Every structure is written in structure tokens, then in C-alpha cells.
Amino acid sequence: MNVLVLNCGSSSLKFQIIETDLAHIENDTDVMLAKGLIERIGSQSIINFQAEGQIAFKSAEPLRDHKQALLYAIKWITNQDSKIPGIADLADIHAIGHRCVHGAERFKKSVRLDNDVISGIEDCIPLAPLHNPANLKGIYASREIFGPSVPQVAIFDTSFHSTMPETSYLFAIPYQLYSRFKIRKYGFHGTSHRFIGYRYRRLAGKERDDVNIISMHLGNGASACAIKGGKSIDTSMGLTPLDGLMMGTRCGDIDPTVVEFLSHNEGITMDEVFSVLNKRSGLIGISGLTNDMRDLLQEEKEHQDRRAKLAIDMFCHRIKKYIGFYLAEMNGTDAICFTGGIGENSAEIRKRSLTHLDFFGIEIDDELNQLACGGREMKISTPESRIAVYVIPTNEELLLARDTVRVVLNAPRIW
Ligand code: AMP
């Protein structure tokens, strides 16, 4: 089956075409045929497409909206010059999987799209006002272009965390506020944490129910997840992706009175306060330089920049805090798994986050840690380490494609 996986942002459209079916899933032999990214939809859009093994196609075109962007991508996908094996026209796309950010309490697993599901995703807009409308743009456009004969599936970032117990997901505010407004922790990056759990299971040769790990997704957005018995029992992001770990531009955990204090003393509106917390905090806020971890590490090394160092130290300190928190919550863990742009590529951040955890018997092998970069999947702890440490590159698109196949074929989820 050729699955088109779509991930739409407010002004971007990201896609992959993945050939997969139940046998491919079982044997890990799925094939990524092509991928693409269109940015700045609504003005002069920047286009970057690539078929596997081919030279990249780059262009700039004025694309008005997501429908135009998708039509543009499809024109390239079905053009014989792009040389995507097995794809000649629209009929060669057999199913479509959409990444959806918020499924609230309604969507606990991936579902086939119909009018009722679409209105359910629309109902979740107040909980994710930036993300769900963007995801819906991709859904509306692809339903219009492909029509009802191509099955489409929605896969939610929140659904993996729907197994969290009340003690993890409730905020300690009046319970009626949860009942009335569904104010609670939902968690995000679920597809990534789920993929990490699945890959760990494969690497360690375990059954799903025996997977006990702490998954650390460290990118520009960052979150931690405690996976016990194969299920998410806690995660660091909350009602929105602002909560938890320190991130590129987001503050993560904060005393809520800071909001009122800032608004009052700076004379700024709530919107402006949240803009500070979402866009001008985290690594960029502390360093005053950048939200890019690579650049911060370089500043620290080459210029001994004090605030670059402080930002990095705070980032690692927060990771350590969550590891300790989850170790207590899970009564120990079998492994800590790093993923995301920083988690997959920075030996330095992995090392600094795990220092002074000797009490727990965590020991990483410096040489292996240095080797584990640029998409390598490997164990980096010493044989003596009481808790294993892994680097596992995430692949959310693959999981989106696999869920699409399973939902379309009504097959059980193996992870
Ligand atoms: P993501 O959001 O997952 O794409 O991750 C983006 C973050 O990963 C940025 O902060 C990058 O600076 C960081 N990153 C990518 N490669 C490296 C690297 N080799 N060392 C440190 N950080 C990196």
C-alpha cells in the first residue's frame, strides 16, 4: 500500500509517501518513497521535494492555501520525472494518514476520517487553537482532492497518553473545572514516544507489556514520557505543549503566578505574556542568543559565553529532574531513551543530563555516546550500568503510515 502521510502546520505542509502493509510492518521493511516540505504557504512558498535516491527538487512558487500546496505536491508526485517507483497517478496513492495534534478525551486511538470525526477534531480547536485548524486544512484539502474512495486516517499526538491515570493527568485545581472544561494534562509528542517504545521493544527483544522506559524527546520542542508496561503513565507536557521541560523558546514548568506578575508589572496583556513564555523563553530567553542548541554549545566552547552555558545547564538540569521524578513514579526503569534533534545528535547534552546519577547506577560509555549521532540507533550505556541508555532516532511519519494501514485494514495495533 502506498500511504501519503500529511503533517500540516499553519503555513506549512510536510509529506512522505511510504510503501507499507502488514507484512512490511511485521518485518520492518517499509520503504520511504518520497518526502517533501512546502513552507510559507500564503505567500512566496519555498518548496523542497525529494524522491528516494534522486536529486532534490527545489522551487519557489506563490501558493495561496493548503489546497493549492497539496495540488502542487501531487503534481510533482505523479509526474514521471520525479521517478517515484510505483506512482504514476492519483490512483497509486492508496490511503492518507493525517497527523493531528489534539484529540482531547475523545480520540484515544487513530481513527478513520468521516464527517463525524472531522467535527470531533473541530471541537478540539479550543484546546489547540494553533495546531488543530492547521491539521484540518490538510484534511479538508485532501478530502476535496482525493474524494471518498481513498481512505483517510487521523492519528493524534495526544492519544498515546490517554492511558495516564487521573493522579498524573489532573491538575490540583477544583475538580469541577476539570468536569466543566476538561482542563487537564493531555501530553503531546505521543507518536514519537510511542515509536521510541516500539523500537526499544524490538531492540531489547521484549513484549509490549514488559516495556518500562523513560523516553526523552529533546528537540526545539521537548518532552519526557514515563512508559510502564508499554503504556504512557505520565508525560511532561500538559494542557498545551508549553509545560514541562525547558525548550528552544518555551519556558516549560513555571509558577503560574509569574503570569499575573508579568502582566501587572510589565503592563502587558495575557496574550503578550504567553507570547513571552512561548516564543522568547527557554534556551533563547536565558542565553539571549539563540534557541539552537548546536549554536549554544559552540558559543559556550569557543567564547565561554556565561549565559549560553547557563541555558545549557538549565536544560540538562530539567531533564535530570524529570528522570528522577519518573524513576520514583515508576519504581525504577529498564532504560532511558534519547530522541529528537538534540537527543539524537548531542553526545554532550546526553552526558551532561546523566552526570551525577551514580546513585541510580546509570553509566554511559563515552566512546559509544560519541558514536551515537546522525541517525544511529544504539545502546550507549556500559554493560555494568543498572539502567540501559539508548539513542533511538524517532520516525513519526513511519508510525503515521503504519497506523493508517492498520486502521484501513482493521488490523490490531501491535504497538
Ligand atoms: P528538532 O526540533 O527535533 O528538529 O531539533 C532541533 C534542535 O536539535 C535544535 O536545537 C538543533 O540545534 C538541535 N541539534 C541538531 N543537531 C545537533 C547537534 N549535532 N548537536 C546539538 N544539537 C543539535
Side-chain angles (χ1 to χ4, degrees):
M1 220 185 234
N2 295 323
V3 181
L4 173 65
V5 168
L6 279 183
N7 181 353
C8 290
S10 55
S11 63
S12 69
L13 182 151
K14 216 162 132 182
F15 73 85
Q16 278 194 15
I17 303 172
I18 298 176
E19 187 191 354
T20 179
D21 57 26
L22 297 179
H24 280 307
I25 295 172
E26 188 53 37
N27 302 313
D28 269 329
T29 50
D30 332 58
V31 187
M32 200 270 284
L33 301 173
K35 61 182 176 182
L37 174 64
I38 302 179
E39 293 169 289
R40 298 200 194 158
I41 296 171
S43 59
Q44 186 72 354
S45 307
I46 302 166
I47 294 139
N48 250 299
F49 296 157
Q50 181 142 36
E52 197 50 15
Q54 305 290 323
I55 298 165
F57 168 83
K58 291 174 193 286
S59 183
E61 301 277 341
L63 299 173
R64 196 178 50 238
D65 53 25
H66 283 70
K67 184 178 169 196
Q68 265 214 341
L70 185 56
L71 282 168
Y72 189 89
I74 288 167
K75 206 167 137 202
W76 175 78
I77 289 167
T78 52
N79 185 329
Q80 291 311 297
D81 289 348
S82 60
K83 295 194 178 60
I84 305 174
I87 308 262
D89 54 43
L90 264 193
D92 294 321
I93 302 288
H94 306 122
I96 302 173
H98 296 270
R99 175 188 181 224
C100 292
V101 167
H102 218 306
E105 289 190 336
R106 169 159 175 194
F107 298 110
K108 298 192 168 155
K109 52 186 184 182
S110 307
V111 286
R112 194 160 171 161
L113 278 176
D114 57 22
N115 289 340
D116 185 44
V117 168
I118 291 176
S119 74
I121 300 172
E122 288 166 347
D123 289 344
C124 299
I125 288 176
L127 290 168
L130 298 178
H131 295 99
N132 273 29
N135 305 152
L136 281 160
K137 283 181 186 171
I139 291 174
Y140 301 142
S142 59
R143 293 244 301 175
E144 221 179 305
I145 294 167
F146 286 86
S149 59
V150 179
Q152 308 208 19
V153 172
I155 301 106
F156 300 88
D157 264 14
T158 45
S159 61
F160 182 58
H161 303 300
S162 65
T163 47
M164 285 189 290
E166 276 180 320
T167 42
S168 296
Y169 73 67
L170 284 178
F171 297 126
I173 57 175
Y175 190 84
Q176 304 87 289
L177 294 177
Y178 163 65
S179 309
R180 279 173 64 202
F181 302 114
K182 297 293 171 214
I183 299 175
R184 51 161 283 182
K185 179 200 286 267
Y186 289 98
F188 299 86
H189 286 149
T191 313
S192 177
H193 291 303
R194 196 174 132 209
F195 183 79
I196 299 311
Y198 161 76
R199 282 307 308 163
Y200 169 77
R201 175 170 92 76
R202 290 284 205 177
L203 291 169
K206 299 203 175 208
E207 290 302 315
R208 178 181 172 178
D209 293 353
D210 295 330
V211 170
N212 299 308
I213 62 168
I214 297 173
S215 167
M216 283 285 168
H217 180 115
L218 308 176
N220 198 34
S223 73
C225 179
I227 302 179
K228 189 168 183 182
K231 294 181 176 140
S232 168
I233 62 153
D234 207 348
T235 190
S236 58
M237 283 177 170
L239 177 72
T240 71
L242 181 58
D243 210 4
L245 297 173
M246 179 171 162
M247 305 179 222
T249 62
R250 288 174 240 162
C251 60
D253 293 338
I254 196 168
D255 179 339
T257 44
V258 170
V259 174
E260 197 272 333
F261 188 94
L262 245 182
S263 171
H264 187 75
N265 288 285
E266 277 277 275
I268 57 178
T269 63
M270 281 296 156
D271 279 355
E272 287 165 331
V273 172
F274 281 102
S275 172
V276 171
L277 301 181
N278 268 302
K279 299 185 184 150
R280 288 167 45 204
S281 300
L283 294 175
I284 198 168
I286 294 296
S287 69
L289 294 171
T290 172
N291 58 324
D292 192 299
M293 184 57 91
R294 245 171 322 199
D295 295 345
L296 283 180
L297 286 163
Q298 202 168 341
E299 279 299 320
E300 181 193 41
K301 191 166 163 203
E302 288 178 7
H303 304 115
Q304 290 78 47
D305 188 277
R306 191 190 86 80
R307 277 171 50 196
K309 177 177 180 339
L310 180 61
I312 299 165
D313 285 343
M314 285 175 65
F315 186 83
C316 296
H317 173 78
R318 193 74 67 92
I319 293 170
K320 193 178 292 191
K321 200 162 127 180
Y322 269 89
I323 290 175
F325 175 12
Y326 291 158
L327 281 173
E329 199 173 352
M330 297 167 73
N331 193 13
T333 188
D334 293 335
I336 297 170
C337 303
F338 287 96
T339 194
I342 300 171
E344 290 168 28
N345 294 300
S346 178
E348 177 72 13
I349 297 299
R350 294 189 296 253
K351 187 176 163 71
R352 275 160 78 165
S353 307
L354 296 179
T355 46
H356 302 130
L357 289 175
D358 321 339
F359 175 77
F360 299 110
I362 300 172
E363 229 183 81
I364 58 171
D365 180 313
D366 283 336
E367 241 171 76
L368 294 178
N369 186 31
Q370 289 297 336
L371 278 177
C373 289
R376 281 221 183 103
E377 181 181 73
M378 55 194 279
K379 188 171 173 178
I380 59 167
S381 46
T382 64
E384 292 76 33
S385 185
R386 262 203 290 145
I387 295 173
V389 182
Y390 284 83
V391 175
I392 302 181
T394 195
N395 192 343
E396 293 167 270
E397 284 78 11
L398 181 60
L399 204 52
L400 296 177
R402 288 176 167 194
D403 259 22
T404 304
V405 166
R406 289 201 196 102
V407 170
V408 169
L409 299 179
N410 259 324
R413 207 184 98 186
I414 53 164
W415 181 261

